[in-house]
Amino acid sequence: MALKETVTVVVTIFNVEKYLNESLNSLKKQTYKEFEVIMIDDASTDNSYRIAEKYLTDKRFKLFKNTVNKGLSGTRNRGIELATGKYIFYFDPDDLLPINLFELLVNEIKLSQSDLLCFNYLKFSDEFPQNVTSIVKKKEFNQIETIKLLLSKKLTPAPWAYLTYLDILKENKLIRFPEGKNFEDITYI
């Protein structure tokens, strides 16, 4: 049996005690077991850090703490530096994952031979769920086409809707989340 390739999941944590248990449980239940979770607490002032500590009994979960608030971009950038897997995936602690998501994503990125894989998601709130489907399906596009798709909202700029190879980021230090700027997701994608 061939070894499975590890997905690094970067979880940025800041004052999310209300959602954290449920979201981390959705990670823990993945059918694809070859993953590491880099949890980074961004100087939370609630019980988020203590909740995250409970997951350290699972060797795939690692917890780090920013002593000062670095914001989403700075924390995700730190996650890139700490990551060791073949793939990288960003996970917000108010999100939930289907239990077979990593299995599907790893199979699809290998099959498609893509550098970056975008996938559909279900957006929900207290009022109602909303299925968000990308208009672009199984298509390769260059930087100009990508920018046009992002600006036309046919492609989401949210990094948690993508899987990519970690070595692309490790080899290209310019691909990072810009710190102290608005719309950092668009710049990164």
Side-chain angles (χ1 to χ4, degrees):
M1 176 192 262
L3 289 174
K4 292 188 177 180
E5 296 150 335
T6 303
V7 175
T8 294
V9 183
V10 175
V11 183
T12 54
I13 299 171
F14 180 71
N15 292 346
V16 288
E17 67 182 4
K18 180 178 175 183
Y19 310 105
L20 196 53
N21 271 320
E22 190 176 11
S23 67
L24 293 178
N25 282 336
S26 77
L27 274 174
K28 199 170 184 176
K29 293 176 183 175
Q30 289 296 301
T31 56
Y32 188 87
K33 301 298 182 191
E34 297 301 317
F35 64 88
E36 68 172 351
V37 180
I38 306 292
M39 302 179 292
I40 306 173
D41 183 89
D42 194 22
S44 292
T45 57
D46 66 358
N47 290 314
S48 295
Y49 186 85
R50 285 186 283 286
I51 293 167
E53 280 182 312
K54 296 175 187 175
Y55 290 83
L56 296 177
T57 58
D58 185 324
K59 64 180 179 165
R60 298 172 298 181
F61 286 72
K62 299 169 185 142
L63 179 59
F64 302 89
K65 185 170 183 69
N66 292 339
T67 54
V68 296
N69 184 276
K70 293 184 174 207
L72 190 56
S73 291
T75 304
R76 283 182 176 156
N77 289 339
R78 183 174 182 204
I80 293 169
E81 300 311 315
L82 294 167
T84 62
K86 179 165 185 161
Y87 308 101
I88 190 161
F89 177 80
Y90 302 100
F91 183 64
D92 290 347
D94 60 348
D95 293 343
L96 300 173
L97 302 178
I99 64 169
N100 63 340
L101 181 67
F102 295 159
E103 192 173 334
L104 294 171
L105 294 179
V106 169
N107 287 336
E108 184 60 33
I109 201 167
K110 289 162 76 172
L111 183 66
S112 68
Q113 299 181 355
S114 301
D115 290 334
L116 181 69
L117 181 68
C118 181
F119 55 93
N120 299 331
Y121 56 94
L122 180 67
K123 182 178 179 179
F124 63 92
S125 66
D126 293 336
E127 292 82 37
F128 60 91
Q130 175 187 2
N131 191 13
V132 180
T133 305
S134 172
I135 294 173
V136 181
K137 294 184 181 185
K138 294 192 179 188
K139 182 179 183 326
E140 292 182 21
F141 35 88
N142 62 33
Q143 290 175 332
I144 300 297
E145 291 169 316
T146 303
I147 291 168
K148 287 179 182 177
L149 290 168
L150 287 167
L151 292 174
S152 68
K153 297 183 181 181
K154 293 179 181 175
L155 193 62
T156 182
W160 43 256
Y162 293 88
L163 180 74
T164 194
Y165 290 90
L166 180 61
D167 63 353
I168 292 173
L169 302 179
K170 294 279 188 177
E171 292 169 9
N172 298 284
K173 301 279 185 196
L174 295 177
I175 304 174
R176 294 295 183 269
F177 292 90
E179 297 181 34
K181 300 203 186 266
N182 293 331
F183 308 107
E184 74 283 347
D185 293 354
I186 293 174
T187 304
Y188 172 82
I189 294 300

